Amino acid sequence: MSTATTVPWGQLTIARQFHWRVGRIELKPRPVGRPETARDINGRGVPPFSRPLREVGTVARELPLSRYNTPMIHEILPVGPLQCNCSIIGDEGTHEAMVIDPGDDIEDVQAVIRKHNLQVKQIVITHAHIDHVGGAMKLRAATGAPILLNQNDYALLKMLDVQAAWIGMPSPGRVDIDRSVTTGETVAAGSHTASILHTPGHTEGSICLYFPAEQKLIAGDTLFAGSIGRTDLPGGSMQKILHSLHDTVLALPDETVVVPGHGPLTTIGEERESNPFLVKR
């Protein structure tokens, strides 16, 4: 699959396919064949009138950003040919940080780390697809931070060369995991603590990270704006992903801001009301 694809590798669609640009000021449809290039989705330092927007077709809607005006540093970089949303989360007081899904473009990730003078304490992978884990070893070498992944996806790590062939990119080589994480555990960047939610379905080991104080969910490829994770790849299960979504993800407050693995932000309430895979009929 080339960068000209119109649908993220992890995303399941139904009828229409939309093109997205994740941007600091606004979101606009992008021409087919042009990769998204935006940076800093959280809008830090952006005047109130230029907050990030979510655009579906030609109708733009503002997303709530009040939870971003906190001591949490959160920058999101769409990285690699499949534009995986890599999150850099830090504490403005302690400067401790975590990086979630460093799939590629590690030089750009390190530039954000240096900009905020952060010390990366852990690298968290939401699932073992190459676009989310491909740059993890390079980042570990640069920071010394351990790599965390749910053990149910260890088998997928042994298929990274196969995954690379699927999308026509070089294999990142071997990825070593330092610790498995699952439901009931937490990870932290200074004072910002996230609960691990094991949400199998896109892959057996898919996880989400929920920051209750900030009401923010890093969803990996489990939930998208208007869609859910695809289930036709190894380890995927439609039954399991719907169970994860209805029993775990949709149990979160409606105002929870969702950062999907690809594409624009959304909220739990918005997806509960309008996501065609989740609306009860």
Side-chain angles (χ1 to χ4, degrees), residues 75-125:
E75 295 209 30
I76 299 173
L77 307 183
V79 298
L82 301 184
Q83 296 288 271
C84 165
N85 285 335
C86 171
S87 283
I88 300 97
I89 292 177
D91 185 308
E92 288 185 350
T94 66
H95 294 278
E96 294 183 347
M98 72 174 76
V99 177
I100 304 169
D101 288 348
D104 205 343
D105 298 334
I106 299 305
E107 293 78 8
D108 292 343
V109 175
Q110 289 179 275
V112 173
I113 293 168
R114 289 191 298 269
K115 180 176 74 172
H116 295 288
N117 192 28
L118 298 175
Q119 296 179 336
V120 179
K121 296 298 184 179
Q122 50 208 340
I123 300 163
V124 186
I125 311 300

Side-chain angles (χ1 to χ4, degrees), residues 106-266:
I106 299 305
E107 293 78 8
D108 292 343
V109 175
Q110 289 179 275
V112 173
I113 293 168
R114 289 191 298 269
K115 180 176 74 172
H116 295 288
N117 192 28
L118 298 175
Q119 296 179 336
V120 179
K121 296 298 184 179
Q122 50 208 340
I123 300 163
V124 186
I125 311 300
T126 61
H127 63 286
H129 282 158
I130 190 171
D131 53 328
H132 293 254
V133 73
M137 289 296 283
K138 186 174 181 180
L139 186 61
R140 186 175 77 163
T143 64
I147 302 173
L148 282 53
L149 173 75
N150 183 273
Q151 64 183 2
N152 290 293
D153 265 7
Y154 286 3
L156 280 177
L157 290 178
K158 299 177 181 179
M159 297 177 56
L160 287 178
D161 55 342
V162 176
Q163 294 185 43
W166 287 344
I167 59 176
M169 64 181 292
S171 173
R174 178 176 172 176
V175 175
D176 296 318
I177 304 302
D178 296 286
R179 180 163 68 91
S180 174
V181 287
T182 191
T183 298
E185 299 183 60
T186 60
V187 292
S191 63
H192 304 294
T193 301
S195 299
I196 300 295
L197 306 176
H198 182 209
T199 53
H202 179 58
T203 67
E204 286 286 352
S206 288
I207 61 169
C208 299
L209 289 81
Y210 177 55
F211 292 84
E214 294 78 18
Q215 290 189 306
K216 182 181 299 183
L217 181 75
I218 311 298
D221 283 359
T222 295
L223 178 63
F224 295 96
S227 188
I228 64 175
R230 64 187 295 177
T231 58
D232 59 338
L233 296 172
S237 165
M238 178 61 77
Q239 181 180 4
K240 287 183 179 180
I241 198 169
L242 289 176
H243 178 78
S244 293
L245 287 163
H246 286 287
D247 289 9
T248 300
V249 176
L250 292 185
L252 300 175
D254 282 352
E255 57 268 30
T256 302
V257 175
V258 178
V259 182
H262 305 265
L265 300 181
T266 184

